[in-house]
PDB file of all heavy atoms in Angstrom:
ATOM      1  N   VAL A  53      57.454  69.194 127.061  1.00 58.00           N
ATOM      2  CA  VAL A  53      56.769  68.027 127.597  1.00 58.00           C
ATOM      3  C   VAL A  53      57.610  67.360 128.660  1.00 58.00           C
ATOM      4  O   VAL A  53      57.123  66.853 129.654  1.00 58.00           O
ATOM      5  CB  VAL A  53      56.456  67.037 126.452  1.00 58.00           C
ATOM      6  CG1 VAL A  53      55.913  65.741 127.008  1.00 58.00           C
ATOM      7  CG2 VAL A  53      55.464  67.649 125.502  1.00 58.00           C
ATOM      8  N   TYR A  58      63.305  66.004 138.115  1.00 51.00           N
ATOM      9  CA  TYR A  58      62.301  66.676 138.897  1.00 51.00           C
ATOM     10  C   TYR A  58      62.832  67.316 140.147  1.00 51.00           C
ATOM     11  O   TYR A  58      62.092  67.837 140.916  1.00 51.00           O
ATOM     12  CB  TYR A  58      61.135  65.744 139.221  1.00 51.00           C
ATOM     13  CG  TYR A  58      61.514  64.351 139.629  1.00 51.00           C
ATOM     14  CD1 TYR A  58      62.004  64.075 140.894  1.00 51.00           C
ATOM     15  CD2 TYR A  58      61.363  63.314 138.738  1.00 51.00           C
ATOM     16  CE1 TYR A  58      62.326  62.793 141.249  1.00 51.00           C
ATOM     17  CE2 TYR A  58      61.688  62.029 139.100  1.00 51.00           C
ATOM     18  CZ  TYR A  58      62.168  61.771 140.354  1.00 51.00           C
ATOM     19  OH  TYR A  58      62.481  60.506 140.707  1.00 51.00           O
ATOM     20  N   CYS A  64      66.604  63.504 146.269  1.00 29.00           N
ATOM     21  CA  CYS A  64      66.080  64.446 147.241  1.00 29.00           C
ATOM     22  C   CYS A  64      64.574  64.437 147.364  1.00 29.00           C
ATOM     23  O   CYS A  64      63.962  65.466 147.480  1.00 29.00           O
ATOM     24  CB  CYS A  64      66.496  65.865 146.859  1.00 29.00           C
ATOM     25  SG  CYS A  64      68.157  66.211 147.302  1.00 29.00           S
ATOM     26  N   ARG A  72      54.003  65.649 163.144  1.00 39.00           N
ATOM     27  CA  ARG A  72      54.089  67.072 163.439  1.00 39.00           C
ATOM     28  C   ARG A  72      53.037  67.462 164.459  1.00 39.00           C
ATOM     29  O   ARG A  72      51.921  66.976 164.403  1.00 39.00           O
ATOM     30  CB  ARG A  72      53.858  67.865 162.141  1.00 39.00           C
ATOM     31  CG  ARG A  72      54.988  67.728 161.184  1.00 39.00           C
ATOM     32  CD  ARG A  72      56.163  68.552 161.569  1.00 39.00           C
ATOM     33  NE  ARG A  72      55.821  69.931 161.847  1.00 39.00           N
ATOM     34  CZ  ARG A  72      56.710  70.882 162.045  1.00 39.00           C
ATOM     35  NH1 ARG A  72      57.975  70.610 161.996  1.00 39.00           N
ATOM     36  NH2 ARG A  72      56.337  72.108 162.295  1.00 39.00           N
ATOM     37  N   GLN A 114      33.870  69.266 154.777  1.00 88.00           N
ATOM     38  CA  GLN A 114      35.085  68.456 154.897  1.00 88.00           C
ATOM     39  C   GLN A 114      36.081  69.090 155.851  1.00 88.00           C
ATOM     40  O   GLN A 114      36.775  68.396 156.587  1.00 88.00           O
ATOM     41  CB  GLN A 114      35.733  68.275 153.522  1.00 88.00           C
ATOM     42  CG  GLN A 114      34.997  67.292 152.668  1.00 88.00           C
ATOM     43  CD  GLN A 114      35.333  67.447 151.207  1.00 88.00           C
ATOM     44  OE1 GLN A 114      36.214  68.223 150.849  1.00 88.00           O
ATOM     45  NE2 GLN A 114      34.651  66.716 150.355  1.00 88.00           N
ATOM     46  N   TYR A 235      45.825  92.670 151.502  1.00 61.00           N
ATOM     47  CA  TYR A 235      46.282  91.294 151.659  1.00 61.00           C
ATOM     48  C   TYR A 235      45.724  90.641 152.906  1.00 61.00           C
ATOM     49  O   TYR A 235      45.340  89.491 152.895  1.00 61.00           O
ATOM     50  CB  TYR A 235      47.806  91.210 151.710  1.00 61.00           C
ATOM     51  CG  TYR A 235      48.459  91.447 150.378  1.00 61.00           C
ATOM     52  CD1 TYR A 235      49.495  92.331 150.237  1.00 61.00           C
ATOM     53  CD2 TYR A 235      48.024  90.770 149.247  1.00 61.00           C
ATOM     54  CE1 TYR A 235      50.072  92.552 149.013  1.00 61.00           C
ATOM     55  CE2 TYR A 235      48.598  90.988 148.017  1.00 61.00           C
ATOM     56  CZ  TYR A 235      49.625  91.885 147.908  1.00 61.00           C
ATOM     57  OH  TYR A 235      50.197  92.120 146.700  1.00 61.00           O
ATOM     58  N   LEU A 280      46.585  85.019 169.305  1.00 28.00           N
ATOM     59  CA  LEU A 280      47.612  84.918 168.274  1.00 28.00           C
ATOM     60  C   LEU A 280      47.001  85.184 166.911  1.00 28.00           C
ATOM     61  O   LEU A 280      46.001  84.605 166.556  1.00 28.00           O
ATOM     62  CB  LEU A 280      48.220  83.524 168.250  1.00 28.00           C
ATOM     63  CG  LEU A 280      49.091  83.136 169.427  1.00 28.00           C
ATOM     64  CD1 LEU A 280      49.442  81.674 169.319  1.00 28.00           C
ATOM     65  CD2 LEU A 280      50.337  83.970 169.463  1.00 28.00           C
ATOM     66  N   ARG A 285      42.241  82.514 155.251  1.00 32.00           N
ATOM     67  CA  ARG A 285      42.086  82.968 153.893  1.00 32.00           C
ATOM     68  C   ARG A 285      40.634  83.105 153.526  1.00 32.00           C
ATOM     69  O   ARG A 285      39.847  82.216 153.783  1.00 32.00           O
ATOM     70  CB  ARG A 285      42.734  81.969 152.928  1.00 32.00           C
ATOM     71  CG  ARG A 285      44.212  81.903 153.069  1.00 32.00           C
ATOM     72  CD  ARG A 285      44.816  83.170 152.589  1.00 32.00           C
ATOM     73  NE  ARG A 285      46.260  83.124 152.658  1.00 32.00           N
ATOM     74  CZ  ARG A 285      47.048  83.972 152.032  1.00 32.00           C
ATOM     75  NH1 ARG A 285      46.530  84.927 151.334  1.00 32.00           N
ATOM     76  NH2 ARG A 285      48.340  83.847 152.125  1.00 32.00           N
TER      77      ARG A 285
ATOM     78  N   ARG B  39      62.360  74.372 146.132  1.00 83.00           N
ATOM     79  CA  ARG B  39      61.160  74.018 146.895  1.00 83.00           C
ATOM     80  C   ARG B  39      60.896  75.129 147.908  1.00 83.00           C
ATOM     81  O   ARG B  39      61.718  75.380 148.762  1.00 83.00           O
ATOM     82  CB  ARG B  39      61.359  72.681 147.589  1.00 83.00           C
ATOM     83  CG  ARG B  39      61.099  71.526 146.656  1.00 83.00           C
ATOM     84  CD  ARG B  39      61.336  70.240 147.335  1.00 83.00           C
ATOM     85  NE  ARG B  39      62.760  69.972 147.403  1.00 83.00           N
ATOM     86  CZ  ARG B  39      63.269  68.757 147.437  1.00 83.00           C
ATOM     87  NH1 ARG B  39      62.471  67.731 147.413  1.00 83.00           N
ATOM     88  NH2 ARG B  39      64.556  68.581 147.508  1.00 83.00           N
ATOM     89  N   ASN B  58      59.817  69.715 142.546  1.00 87.00           N
ATOM     90  CA  ASN B  58      59.758  71.016 141.859  1.00 87.00           C
ATOM     91  C   ASN B  58      60.405  70.922 140.489  1.00 87.00           C
ATOM     92  O   ASN B  58      61.462  70.322 140.319  1.00 87.00           O
ATOM     93  CB  ASN B  58      60.417  72.112 142.694  1.00 87.00           C
ATOM     94  CG  ASN B  58      61.911  71.920 142.822  1.00 87.00           C
ATOM     95  OD1 ASN B  58      62.369  70.932 143.348  1.00 87.00           O
ATOM     96  ND2 ASN B  58      62.664  72.864 142.310  1.00 87.00           N
ATOM     97  N   ASN B  79      54.229  65.708 134.406  1.00 89.00           N
ATOM     98  CA  ASN B  79      55.123  64.663 133.902  1.00 89.00           C
ATOM     99  C   ASN B  79      56.196  64.327 134.924  1.00 89.00           C
ATOM    100  O   ASN B  79      56.628  63.167 135.016  1.00 89.00           O
ATOM    101  CB  ASN B  79      55.758  65.117 132.588  1.00 89.00           C
ATOM    102  CG  ASN B  79      54.761  65.100 131.453  1.00 89.00           C
ATOM    103  OD1 ASN B  79      53.797  64.351 131.494  1.00 89.00           O
ATOM    104  ND2 ASN B  79      54.997  65.920 130.443  1.00 89.00           N
ATOM    105  N   TYR B 107      36.759  68.810 145.755  1.00 91.00           N
ATOM    106  CA  TYR B 107      36.513  67.379 145.593  1.00 91.00           C
ATOM    107  C   TYR B 107      35.543  66.898 146.648  1.00 91.00           C
ATOM    108  O   TYR B 107      35.685  67.202 147.824  1.00 91.00           O
ATOM    109  CB  TYR B 107      37.824  66.595 145.728  1.00 91.00           C
ATOM    110  CG  TYR B 107      38.911  67.096 144.818  1.00 91.00           C
ATOM    111  CD1 TYR B 107      39.867  67.983 145.272  1.00 91.00           C
ATOM    112  CD2 TYR B 107      38.977  66.694 143.494  1.00 91.00           C
ATOM    113  CE1 TYR B 107      40.843  68.472 144.434  1.00 91.00           C
ATOM    114  CE2 TYR B 107      39.956  67.163 142.654  1.00 91.00           C
ATOM    115  CZ  TYR B 107      40.884  68.053 143.125  1.00 91.00           C
ATOM    116  OH  TYR B 107      41.855  68.543 142.290  1.00 91.00           O
ATOM    117  N   GLU B 231      45.520  97.402 147.944  1.00 58.00           N
ATOM    118  CA  GLU B 231      46.853  96.969 148.371  1.00 58.00           C
ATOM    119  C   GLU B 231      47.883  97.522 147.413  1.00 58.00           C
ATOM    120  O   GLU B 231      47.769  97.362 146.198  1.00 58.00           O
ATOM    121  CB  GLU B 231      46.905  95.438 148.362  1.00 58.00           C
ATOM    122  CG  GLU B 231      48.209  94.870 148.868  1.00 58.00           C
ATOM    123  CD  GLU B 231      48.433  95.162 150.335  1.00 58.00           C
ATOM    124  OE1 GLU B 231      47.639  94.726 151.165  1.00 58.00           O
ATOM    125  OE2 GLU B 231      49.430  95.847 150.635  1.00 58.00           O
ATOM    126  N   ASP B 240      53.180  85.416 154.816  1.00 57.00           N
ATOM    127  CA  ASP B 240      52.868  84.160 155.470  1.00 57.00           C
ATOM    128  C   ASP B 240      54.080  83.556 156.126  1.00 57.00           C
ATOM    129  O   ASP B 240      54.004  82.948 157.171  1.00 57.00           O
ATOM    130  CB  ASP B 240      52.339  83.176 154.433  1.00 57.00           C
ATOM    131  CG  ASP B 240      50.936  83.538 154.058  1.00 57.00           C
ATOM    132  OD1 ASP B 240      50.469  84.576 154.522  1.00 57.00           O
ATOM    133  OD2 ASP B 240      50.323  82.765 153.325  1.00 57.00           O
ATOM    134  N   LYS B 250      56.079  80.493 168.964  1.00 62.00           N
ATOM    135  CA  LYS B 250      55.136  80.526 170.085  1.00 62.00           C
ATOM    136  C   LYS B 250      54.633  79.136 170.418  1.00 62.00           C
ATOM    137  O   LYS B 250      54.345  78.825 171.559  1.00 62.00           O
ATOM    138  CB  LYS B 250      53.951  81.437 169.737  1.00 62.00           C
ATOM    139  CG  LYS B 250      54.301  82.889 169.887  1.00 62.00           C
ATOM    140  CD  LYS B 250      53.166  83.794 169.477  1.00 62.00           C
ATOM    141  CE  LYS B 250      53.630  85.240 169.567  1.00 62.00           C
ATOM    142  NZ  LYS B 250      52.788  86.152 168.827  1.00 62.00           N
TER     143      LYS B 250
END
Side-chain angles (χ1 to χ4, degrees):
Chain A
V53 172
Y58 43 77
C64 281
R72 290 283 309 189
Q114 285 161 6
Y235 287 131
L280 290 172
R285 293 291 182 164
Chain B
R39 278 178 282 208
N58 68 299
N79 287 334
Y107 307 96
E231 184 66 61
D240 285 6
K250 282 177 184 162

